[in-house]
Amino acid sequence: DLKKAEFLDLESDASAMEEDFVETAKFFGEAPESSSPESLFGIFHQFITGFDVIYTSLSFSLFLSLSLSLSLS
């Protein structure tokens, strides 16, 4: 039956996803049983967002600094 096969495939994918999450959480030092994908990946999102803000700010500061030093030369 096609519906049953699709359900079994979905169940297999969900199991694989759970195993991958457990491995990922352990890799980053989190306890998989007390973490959720939302909290773990939320931490990544906060880090990347903060990093982007700082990188952009520093890049702009460096650009202004170089522009100013060139205009004073």
Side-chain angles (χ1 to χ4, degrees):
D1 175 63
L2 182 60
K3 297 280 185 203
K4 187 174 183 175
E6 289 176 347
F7 180 77
L8 291 175
D9 284 345
L10 185 60
E11 201 171 48
S12 174
D13 290 346
S15 179
M17 181 184 66
E18 179 71 28
E19 291 172 11
D20 289 344
F21 172 73
V22 168
E23 286 180 37
T24 302
K26 286 180 180 178
F27 180 81
F28 288 103
E30 297 291 323
E33 50 285 334
S34 63
S35 296
S36 69
E38 293 81 10
S39 66
L40 181 63
F41 295 113
I43 293 169
F44 294 148
H45 176 73
Q46 286 178 333
F47 174 80
I48 291 169
T49 301
F51 184 87
D52 187 45
V53 167
I54 296 300
Y55 180 81
T56 301
S57 175
L58 289 175
S59 295
F60 185 69
S61 294
L62 180 61
F63 172 77
L64 287 178
S65 175
L66 288 173
S67 296
L68 184 61
S69 67
L70 288 175
S71 68
L72 294 176
S73 299

